[in-house]
Amino acid sequence: MRWPLIRYIPRSTHYRFVRWAPVAAVFSAILIVGAIASLFFHGLNLGIDFKGGVSLEIAMSRPIPEAELRAAVDKIGVHDAQVQGFASQPNTAMVKFLPAEGEAASAASKHVEAQLVKQFPDLKVTSRSEVGAKVSGELLMGGFKALGIALALTLGYIWFRFGLSYGSGAVVAVIHDIVLVLGVLSIAGIEFSMTEIAALLTVIGYSMNEKVITFDRLKENLRKYKTTPLRDIIDLSENERLSRTIITGTTALLALGGTMLFGGPVLFPLVFTMVMGIIIGTYSSIYIALPLILVWGVKRNDDDATPIRFGQASRP
C-alpha cells in the first residue's frame, strides 16, 4: 500500500462536543448509580489475595498438563481452585484454592498436596504460601489506600500545573472512571485481585495523562482566543486533539485486545480492566472533566472567565 492508513483520519473536524454534554451527564449518572448498586448488592468477586487461601507452586519433570491438573484439583473439593501455568516455564505451575469452611489452611494444603502427588507421582511442591483472612483484609485496604494516594497526588499535580478548577475536574473524572470500572468488574463477576489494583493504578495514570493533554490544549487556546466563549474553545480544543486521541487509544486497545483474546484466563482480568479503563477514561476526558470546567469557569490572564451554563447560545 502506497499511502499510510492514517490519511483516512480527518485532519480537521468540527464536532460540537459541548452540545451533547448534558446528555452525557445524565448517561454517566445512570451508569454511576448502576455501578454503585452492583458494588453494594453484588460486590466484587474477590480473589485469594483478598479472601485468604493457599497457593502452591508445583513442578514436574515434563510439561504440566494443565487441563488434567485443573480436573484433579476440582475433584478434591476445594473452593475457587485456580491453576496458572507459565509459558516461559512449562514444567511449573501455580495452584491456588480456598480451604473448606472451618478447615485450617495448613491442613488443606497438606491434603491437596497428598492428593495431587497420588495422581501425578512426578509432581513436587516447590513452595507453599498461606494467606489468612486478616492478612488478605489488610491487602485489600492497602490496595484501596494506594488508589486514594494516587488520586491525591494527581490532584496536587494538576492543581500545581493548571489550577484548582482543572484539578478538581480531573479528579472527579478519574473517580468516575474507577467507579465505572469497578462496576463493570462487579457485574461481569471477574475476579478482583492485586493485579486488578495494579491495573486500576495504570488506568489512573492513563486517564490523567489524557486530562493533562486536554488541559494543555485548552489553556493554549484560552490564551490565543481571549474573547471567544469558553464552550467554543472547548469544542475547538477537542477537535484539534481528536486525531491524536483516536490514534493513541486505538493503538493501546489493539495491543491489549490481542492479549485479552489470546493471553489466557490468567491475564484476562488484568487486561480487561485496562481496556475498560482506556475506553472510559477517554470518554471522561471529553464529557466529565471539560464540562465541569465549563460550569465552574477558568481564568484567562488573571481575568475571570464567566462560567457559561449548558444550553446558553454561543453563536449568533
Side-chain angles (χ1 to χ4, degrees):
M1 185 174 292
R2 183 175 180 182
W3 300 102
L5 293 178
I6 195 174
R7 70 191 182 96
Y8 292 106
I9 299 178
R11 296 184 179 182
S12 177
T13 57
H14 304 280
Y15 298 117
R16 301 288 300 278
F17 292 101
V18 174
R19 183 178 184 179
W20 297 101
V23 177
V26 174
F27 177 67
S28 292
I30 294 172
L31 292 180
I32 289 291
V33 171
I36 293 175
S38 179
L39 290 170
F40 182 78
F41 292 106
H42 188 259
L44 291 168
N45 179 21
L46 298 179
I48 289 176
D49 293 339
F50 297 139
K51 288 193 296 188
V54 178
S55 176
L56 302 176
E57 185 174 335
I58 64 172
M60 292 186 182
S61 58
R62 56 192 170 92
I64 291 180
E66 293 185 27
E68 295 179 23
L69 186 59
R70 286 192 182 93
V73 174
D74 289 337
K75 288 181 180 179
I76 296 174
V78 294
H79 301 293
D80 292 347
Q82 304 172 25
V83 176
Q84 175 182 343
F86 301 98
S88 59
Q89 297 176 316
N91 292 9
T92 62
M94 189 76 71
V95 178
K96 299 180 180 180
F97 59 90
L98 291 176
E101 186 175 352
E103 184 180 17
S106 58
S109 175
K110 292 178 181 179
H111 173 66
V112 171
E113 181 179 347
Q115 293 297 317
L116 291 178
V117 170
K118 184 184 296 185
Q119 184 164 341
F120 303 96
D122 59 335
L123 183 147
K124 294 182 179 179
V125 176
T126 57
S127 70
R128 181 188 300 105
S129 61
E130 301 166 1
V131 180
K134 181 178 179 181
V135 175
S136 60
E138 292 174 353
L139 285 174
L140 181 61
M141 291 301 298
F144 280 102
K145 283 181 181 178
L147 294 177
I149 292 172
L151 284 174
L153 291 175
T154 53
L155 171 60
Y157 172 74
I158 299 293
W159 187 356
F160 173 78
R161 181 167 177 179
F162 297 104
L164 182 58
S165 60
Y166 290 91
S168 301
V171 170
V172 170
V174 173
I175 293 175
H176 162 277
D177 300 345
I178 293 175
V179 172
L180 287 189
V181 171
L182 290 175
V184 171
L185 294 178
S186 174
I187 293 171
I190 294 175
E191 182 182 284
F192 187 80
S193 62
M194 286 300 293
T195 56
E196 273 58 64
I197 292 291
L200 287 174
L201 290 172
T202 304
V203 167
I204 290 175
Y206 182 92
S207 182
M208 196 56 62
N209 181 64
E210 283 291 305
K211 275 65 173 174
V212 168
I213 294 172
T214 300
F215 295 159
D216 263 335
R217 183 56 59 90
L218 178 61
K219 290 207 72 171
E220 179 182 340
N221 284 331
L222 283 171
R223 289 191 294 267
K224 289 169 62 178
Y225 308 102
K226 297 181 180 180
T227 60
T228 304
L230 182 57
R231 63 186 300 128
D232 291 345
I233 294 182
I234 289 176
D235 280 338
L236 173 65
S237 302
E238 279 305 305
N239 279 291
E240 287 179 348
R241 76 176 198 97
L242 184 60
S243 60
R244 180 259 174 207
T245 301
I246 294 173
I247 294 171
T248 303
T250 303
T251 302
L253 290 176
L254 286 175
L256 292 172
T259 307
M260 186 170 65
L261 292 175
F262 304 109
V266 175
L267 291 177
F268 180 83
L270 170 68
V271 180
F272 179 82
T273 303
M274 295 177 67
V275 168
M276 289 295 101
I278 289 174
I279 295 173
I280 295 171
T282 302
Y283 161 80
S284 70
S285 296
I286 301 173
Y287 284 116
I288 302 295
L290 287 178
L292 286 175
I293 293 175
L294 178 64
V295 172
W296 293 335
V298 294
K299 289 186 176 182
R300 306 186 190 189
N301 297 330
D302 298 327
D303 293 326
D304 286 337
T306 304
I308 303 175
R309 304 299 176 185
F310 292 134
Q312 180 177 338
S314 60
R315 291 186 176 89

